[in-house]
Amino acid sequence: MEHLCSVFDEAVNVFVLQLETNATTTAADSTLDEVIKDIYGVLMSFVLSNPDAWAPIIFSWSVELLGQLGSKYSERKGVPDASRLKELLQIWMSCTATRTLIDVAAKCISPMISRDPDVCVGALLDTSAKHSPHFDWVVAHIGSSFPTMMITRVLYCGLKDFCSRADGQAEFRAGEKLPKIASVVGILGHLVAMHSSDIRHALLTLFQESLAENIDDHRLATVPYLLHLASLSPMLLRVIATDFVQALTPDVLNRLASQAEKWQFSPLQDLDSLLSLVVHLIIMSTDGAMSILQFLLPSVDTTTDICDKVTKCCKIILDMLMMDLQRMVFTQETLHTEIPFLDSLHSHQEALCNDLLTSRTQERSLWLGRVLAFLGLYAGEKTAADLLCEIISFAEGRELMLHFQSISVEMETQLPGAAHRAISQAITNMHGNHQVSVKLLSNIFVLLQWEKQAKDNRLSSFLRRHISAFCCYLHSVDRKISFAAISCLHIIGVPHVLPIATMMKVCSSVSAYFFSALHIKDMNEKLSAVRMCKSFVESVSEVPDTQHMLLYNFIHGCIKQENAEPLGTQPQPPSVGASRVKQTTTTLLLEENAKHGMGVTLPQSHSSVFHAGVVGRGVQKPQRPSRFRLNEVVTNQQMFMDIVYTCSLYRLSDESDSMELDVGMETEQTMSAEPSSVALQAVAHMLVEIATPDNLYNQLDWPEEAFARYTVERDLEITKKFTEYPILWEILEFLARERVALCQCSVLFRGVLATMLVYWESCRTTSTTASPRQLQASCRLIEIMGQGKLLPAPLSCMSDIFPSLTSYETHVLLRDVWRYEHENPLGQALGQALGQALGQALVEQAVCPRRYTETLRAVLHQNVARLSHVYTSFFAVDEEQEES
């Protein structure tokens, strides 16, 4: 055999020299080839004559010689590097000597497969351990010829060697690289490209056989052996992380638990080392990380059929996994380490978030939350923001928001902007999605509440950048969305500097939400909505120049048809059908007159009268009943006036618009809670604007009574406005606290009073109570003018006796009011009021001159039987006795 080795060595040497010198084959080379061919024939005759005796010997000799030759000539110039396996295999297979040895080894394996396969596989493993990687090409070629046998026997031989190590040493460290085990990994690595399914099947079969009831040392060591192989080969790790996890049923886990009890007494299979190895393998898993996590998390649930030992072991693995991930993530920036487990989970981030949102146990949620936090820290701010955005957009309940907060807090250690970026992204993405909008706004409100309790304002300050987005949801028809938006705005507030476009949007949105809240039937819900709205209005009105915008939106909004019904306006009758509208709108006056012109026109006859066209559109349909009861209307009016009062409160920004004030008065008004004069005057101008059809005849002073004939249509329009929109009376009464502002509404008093004068003069009823609408308008007019010091006593008290008078008596009393206002111009009174110092009480006027009260005195005397008890409230008895 030694002589044969020298022959093959010489042949290989000649072959390598030819490669290095590019020389051609000589006669001596042909002689060597003939000798090798003869040697091959002799060796094959031995194998064929007695395979049981010669096949193992010749096989071991051939593979050992191949290993020696490969190692000896590996450094020669013409031999490719061992890492280039395909080129190396082609080179050696073109050499006659090495090709012959490979053929001899293959012929020896065939009879050994059925009798003693472990001998040939053991020889391969031993040689591979000594001469790898220069022997890898031999393993690849032989393994490709007998893949099934080679894979199975290699695994079993490796297992035997793994078990034999336990007999010779007292302690074995999991993950230690053994020579023969490394050869097993190398052989399987060469075969994986073409025979991956066979390798998977062999590994799974080996694992399943280890779960048999009759447990021996080999079966007991199978799981640690497979874990050790996985730690040395990423390919085997992928198989275990995917196929094995799927095979871990509750029954299999319970059997493994029974084996684990025996591992404690074996130095080779130390339980703690195995758990550490399992955690290491999980972290190094590039494929199947999601499957592993989905296996571990349900395994800790006590409601499953898994025994307590398995549950406890899974909890330990998860805790160790979290600790290792935390250590690796927080040292990533300095060490630049890669974490394959987190890399694999990156593509499953949406599934992880869904698992967290649907988790039913607190412990499972905590583990998922930590995994998500580590994934965000590892992948960067964008991924962290995506994860947090997914959670805050779909989370339901405060428990899930607690997990969101804990995840964001952990991420803030290295990614301080991730949470704010996630919320901004969620706000941008929620448009058009009803369910997401409700959940997101509710979750943001919860975060704002927690922040307020912690006396922190970072989130509120950040969300002020998105105040326009929140205002858009105040217009939502879904009350849940709008209420959640106003609740957030209530805590967020507004910045002290706003662009004009944003300012207008905020003011219009909050007014629209307020009017929509008035339609709510449930009183508790309505009060909550209005309270939130009022609080937000208070913060908005503190921004410079927003007070007038708010007042404008509220005052003009109260007369819009969709907003006016809750404030007492009767609903409009339903519109006529489209056919009737079409018929009346297409009727032409010229055509109608042409029809009448077909006959002979005679003077002084009916045919000389032109046709005036179609009047109206038929009989008007009755008004539908209001959806709001009287008590609801009164409540809504009070809420509206309260919000107007809030908008009118004195602000520091009013200094620029107010008149010159000394420092003492300015400080006093700043601290007061009364509406500012500037705001009340603005409300007065807005009221005049919406109640009058034009700006003509809007002077403060009252003309002669006869002048009212020129403004009949205008006065009727003003009175109609107050009749259709009762809230205007409330606004007018609100202005009565400021005489200057009330004087601006002179045209409104004049228009209503002129209409009432004409009505009561022409009224044919004996009592004013027969016309309740006109009676109420007359009473409210006198009361408001009295409250605003526009009428002196006793004229300001006349409304108390109107229900007890006749129509004519009411008419003559109102004429005295007109005469008083005409002869005592409001312009003069306004000048006096402006000349006084703001913040002081107005000086009470002198007693009304007698010429304006003679009619009132006569009316009281005329009705002394019914009004004697109120006479002293109008005139003092002592004065009557002195005059008499």
Side-chain angles (χ1 to χ4, degrees):
M1 286 294 183
E2 293 181 2
H3 173 68
L4 296 181
C5 290
S6 62
V7 173
F8 280 97
D9 182 44
E10 180 64 23
V12 172
N13 185 38
V14 171
F15 174 77
V16 173
L17 285 174
Q18 292 177 354
L19 290 177
E20 292 175 343
T21 60
N22 293 325
T24 58
T25 304
T26 62
D29 298 337
S30 301
T31 304
L32 280 175
D33 292 343
E34 293 295 332
V35 172
I36 290 174
K37 186 179 296 185
D38 294 339
I39 294 174
Y40 176 77
V42 172
L43 293 175
M44 286 298 98
S45 64
F46 290 157
V47 172
L48 294 175
S49 62
N50 192 357
D52 294 340
W54 288 105
I57 298 174
I58 295 176
F59 176 80
S60 300
W61 170 80
S62 63
V63 296
E64 177 63 24
L65 181 57
L66 284 171
Q68 293 176 0
L69 294 175
S71 299
K72 180 178 179 179
Y73 295 99
S74 61
E75 302 296 332
R76 299 291 290 271
K77 179 180 177 181
V79 179
D81 188 76
S83 59
R84 296 153 60 185
L85 186 62
K86 289 185 178 180
E87 295 182 15
L88 186 64
L89 181 62
Q90 291 177 356
I91 290 294
W92 289 127
M93 291 302 291
S94 63
C95 175
T96 304
T98 54
R99 184 174 66 249
T100 301
L101 288 174
I102 282 285
D103 195 15
V104 169
K107 289 292 193 299
C108 292
I109 289 178
S110 299
M112 296 171 61
I113 290 178
S114 58
R115 295 184 181 89
D116 195 5
D118 291 345
V119 174
C120 60
V121 173
L124 277 176
L125 292 177
D126 292 336
T127 308
S128 177
K130 289 190 294 183
H131 299 289
S132 181
H134 310 296
F135 188 71
D136 292 350
W137 67 275
V138 179
V139 175
H141 181 77
I142 296 177
S144 299
S145 302
F146 309 95
T148 304
M149 183 277 300
M150 185 63 65
I151 293 170
T152 303
R153 302 320 303 175
V154 161
L155 286 174
Y156 278 104
C157 288
L159 178 59
K160 289 181 180 180
D161 183 72
F162 185 80
C163 294
S164 64
R165 293 283 174 171
D167 299 333
Q169 61 185 50
E171 184 178 357
F172 174 77
R173 290 173 295 146
E176 182 181 355
K177 190 171 183 179
L178 304 177
K180 187 167 288 190
I181 300 297
S183 299
V184 172
V185 173
I187 292 173
L188 295 178
H190 294 316
L191 299 177
V192 70
M194 300 297 294
H195 307 282
S196 60
S197 59
D198 294 331
I199 294 176
R200 290 175 181 270
H201 178 71
L203 289 171
L204 192 59
T205 301
L206 183 63
F207 172 70
Q208 291 173 347
E209 289 177 354
S210 69
L211 301 175
E213 295 181 358
N214 299 325
I215 301 178
D216 55 14
D217 292 340
H218 287 180
R219 291 177 177 176
L220 188 63
T222 298
V223 172
Y225 166 66
L226 293 176
L227 292 176
H228 188 72
L229 288 180
S231 66
L232 301 176
S233 171
M235 178 273 299
L236 297 178
L237 177 59
R238 284 195 297 270
V239 174
I240 292 177
T242 54
D243 296 354
F244 278 39
V245 171
Q246 297 176 3
L248 294 177
T249 61
D251 180 61
V252 171
L253 291 174
N254 293 334
R255 292 187 181 183
L256 287 176
S258 63
Q259 287 189 12
E261 296 178 354
K262 302 178 181 180
W263 290 344
Q264 302 176 7
F265 305 101
S266 173
L268 185 61
Q269 296 92 14
D270 179 55
L271 184 59
D272 294 336
S273 300
L274 284 178
L275 291 178
S276 299
L277 179 59
V278 169
V279 173
H280 172 72
L281 294 178
I282 292 174
I283 293 177
M284 300 306 297
S285 299
T286 56
D287 295 328
M290 190 64 185
S291 301
I292 295 174
L293 193 62
Q294 288 178 341
F295 161 74
L296 289 174
L297 291 175
S299 299
V300 301
D301 192 354
T302 56
T303 60
T304 59
D305 298 332
I306 301 175
C307 65
D308 295 338
K309 294 180 181 179
V310 176
T311 301
K312 181 180 178 180
C313 185
C314 290
K315 289 182 179 180
I316 294 174
I317 292 174
L318 283 171
D319 289 335
M320 295 175 64
L321 177 63
M322 296 302 116
M323 293 176 62
D324 285 359
L325 287 177
Q326 182 179 15
R327 175 180 54 80
M328 298 177 71
V329 165
F330 284 101
T331 59
Q332 175 195 3
E333 293 186 359
T334 56
L335 301 180
H336 302 287
T337 57
E338 293 185 359
I339 308 176
F341 178 76
L342 295 180
D343 286 329
S344 178
L345 289 180
H346 190 274
S347 59
H348 302 280
Q349 55 186 11
E350 185 175 352
L352 288 172
C353 292
N354 291 334
D355 286 347
L356 175 64
L357 296 175
T358 57
S359 178
R360 297 182 180 179
T361 60
Q362 182 71 14
E363 198 172 21
R364 178 189 177 102
S365 300
L366 289 174
W367 278 316
L368 281 170
R370 298 210 67 191
V371 170
L372 289 172
F374 297 146
L375 179 59
L377 288 170
Y378 175 74
E381 184 172 326
K382 183 180 182 304
T383 301
D386 292 339
L387 294 173
L388 293 175
C389 175
E390 187 78 12
I391 297 173
I392 196 174
S393 299
F394 297 97
E396 293 185 10
R398 289 178 175 264
E399 292 184 1
L400 288 175
M401 290 311 300
L402 284 173
H403 293 300
F404 170 85
Q405 193 175 37
S406 63
I407 294 171
S408 61
V409 168
E410 191 160 7
M411 288 181 177
E412 283 180 357
T413 56
Q414 294 185 358
L415 304 173
H420 289 173
R421 180 174 178 177
I423 295 175
S424 177
Q425 182 177 334
I427 293 174
T428 304
N429 296 339
M430 73 176 175
H431 291 283
N433 194 325
H434 175 268
Q435 295 181 351
V436 173
S437 301
V438 175
K439 295 177 183 177
L440 176 61
L441 292 173
S442 300
N443 293 335
I444 292 177
F445 178 65
V446 171
L447 293 177
L448 290 170
Q449 283 183 318
W450 291 342
E451 184 187 64
K452 186 177 180 181
Q453 294 173 359
K455 296 182 179 180
D456 190 7
N457 63 345
R458 288 179 297 172
L459 180 59
S460 300
S461 302
F462 171 76
L463 289 177
R464 287 174 186 168
R465 307 175 190 174
H466 300 276
I467 193 171
S468 297
F470 284 96
C471 288
C472 292
Y473 290 96
L474 295 178
H475 298 273
S476 176
V477 295
D478 190 336
R479 292 174 184 170
K480 293 182 180 179
I481 295 179
S482 58
F483 182 75
I486 195 65
S487 300
C488 294
L489 290 171
H490 157 68
I491 301 179
I492 294 171
V494 291
H496 291 288
V497 179
L498 276 177
I500 187 65
T502 305
M503 190 185 304
M504 295 176 65
K505 185 174 184 178
V506 170
C507 295
S508 62
S509 299
V510 70
S511 63
Y513 175 76
F514 173 79
F515 287 118
S516 66
L518 296 182
H519 288 78
I520 301 175
K521 288 294 185 178
D522 184 78
M523 185 54 65
N524 293 329
E525 184 181 355
K526 179 187 293 187
L527 288 175
S528 299
V530 172
R531 189 180 298 113
M532 289 289 186
C533 185
K534 179 183 176 182
S535 176
F536 181 61
V537 166
E538 289 178 356
S539 61
V540 172
S541 58
E542 293 177 357
V543 179
D545 303 325
T546 57
Q547 189 179 56
H548 286 194
M549 287 188 183
L550 284 171
L551 290 171
Y552 180 89
N553 282 278
F554 280 111
I555 299 301
H556 283 73
C558 72
I559 63 170
K560 293 182 179 179
Q561 189 60 39
E562 62 271 17
N563 302 332
E565 188 176 354
L567 297 173
T569 299
Q570 293 298 320
Q572 294 292 332
S575 59
V576 296
S579 60
R580 178 65 60 86
V581 174
K582 182 177 180 180
Q583 178 182 353
T584 55
T585 54
T586 56
T587 301
L588 300 178
L589 184 61
L590 180 62
E591 296 178 357
E592 294 297 319
N593 282 288
K595 296 177 182 178
H596 288 269
M598 296 300 292
V600 179
T601 303
L602 300 176
Q604 304 298 324
S605 67
H606 69 279
S607 61
S608 63
V609 180
F610 283 100
H611 182 58
V614 179
V615 179
R617 296 178 178 177
V619 179
Q620 291 186 354
K621 296 184 179 181
Q623 292 183 343
R624 60 179 176 87
S626 177
R627 295 180 292 119
F628 298 90
R629 297 189 298 271
L630 179 60
N631 61 334
E632 294 177 335
V633 171
V634 173
T635 301
N636 291 337
Q637 290 178 349
Q638 291 175 349
M639 290 178 175
F640 176 79
M641 295 313 303
D642 186 40
I643 203 77
V644 173
Y645 175 87
T646 302
C647 296
S648 304
L649 292 178
Y650 182 79
R651 308 293 177 192
L652 291 174
S653 59
D654 294 338
E655 298 174 7
S656 59
D657 299 330
S658 59
M659 305 223 170
E660 296 182 358
L661 305 172
D662 49 37
V663 177
M665 294 301 175
E666 179 182 349
T667 305
E668 182 180 353
Q669 190 169 0
T670 303
M671 299 302 295
S672 66
E674 292 295 324
S676 67
S677 176
V678 175
L680 291 175
Q681 292 181 49
V683 173
H685 286 296
M686 296 173 193
L687 185 60
V688 172
E689 180 182 352
I690 63 177
T692 56
D694 51 55
N695 293 327
L696 297 177
Y697 310 111
N698 279 5
Q699 67 276 9
L700 298 180
D701 296 338
W702 291 47
E704 293 283 351
E705 183 184 347
F707 185 79
R709 70 184 65 177
Y710 300 109
T711 59
V712 173
E713 184 177 359
R714 176 188 179 85
D715 296 339
L716 289 174
E717 183 68 25
I718 294 174
T719 307
K720 182 181 178 182
K721 282 283 186 182
F722 278 86
T723 302
E724 292 180 352
Y725 305 102
I727 192 62
L728 299 184
W729 286 112
E730 305 299 328
I731 300 175
L732 202 58
E733 185 176 359
F734 170 71
L735 296 175
R737 65 183 66 210
E738 174 67 37
R739 190 181 185 189
V740 177
L742 197 62
C743 289
Q744 306 296 332
C745 301
S746 172
V747 61
L748 305 181
F749 293 122
R750 192 162 64 243
V752 175
L753 184 55
T755 305
M756 294 299 103
L757 283 173
V758 174
Y759 178 80
W760 293 122
E761 182 181 16
S762 59
C763 184
R764 294 297 181 263
T765 58
T766 57
S767 176
T768 55
T769 55
S771 302
R773 183 166 58 83
Q774 288 76 12
L775 175 61
Q776 183 183 13
S778 302
C779 293
R780 291 297 298 273
L781 181 68
I782 299 302
E783 291 170 359
I784 294 173
M785 293 181 71
Q787 293 175 11
K789 304 296 188 297
L790 299 185
L791 283 178
L795 296 182
S796 60
C797 304
M798 290 191 306
S799 58
D800 295 340
I801 63 173
F802 281 172
S804 302
L805 303 180
T806 63
S807 301
Y808 179 74
E809 290 170 342
T810 304
H811 167 74
V812 295
L813 291 178
L814 291 178
R815 288 185 63 183
D816 287 340
V817 173
W818 186 289
R819 188 159 59 93
Y820 174 84
E821 295 295 343
H822 169 64
E823 296 177 0
N824 297 272
L826 288 179
Q828 181 180 354
L830 179 60
Q832 294 174 357
L834 293 175
Q836 298 175 351
L838 295 179
Q840 297 178 349
L842 291 173
V843 179
E844 294 291 338
Q845 293 187 358
V847 179
C848 181
R850 184 181 179 84
R851 66 180 180 274
Y852 302 118
T853 61
E854 286 297 336
T855 305
L856 176 59
R857 193 189 307 270
V859 170
L860 289 175
H861 288 166
Q862 183 70 24
N863 299 276
V864 67
R866 288 178 293 135
L867 301 176
S868 59
H869 62 286
V870 298
Y871 185 85
T872 55
S873 62
F874 288 91
F875 302 101
V877 178
D878 295 339
E879 294 179 1
E880 292 286 334
Q881 292 176 354
E882 290 177 2
E883 292 177 1
S884 60

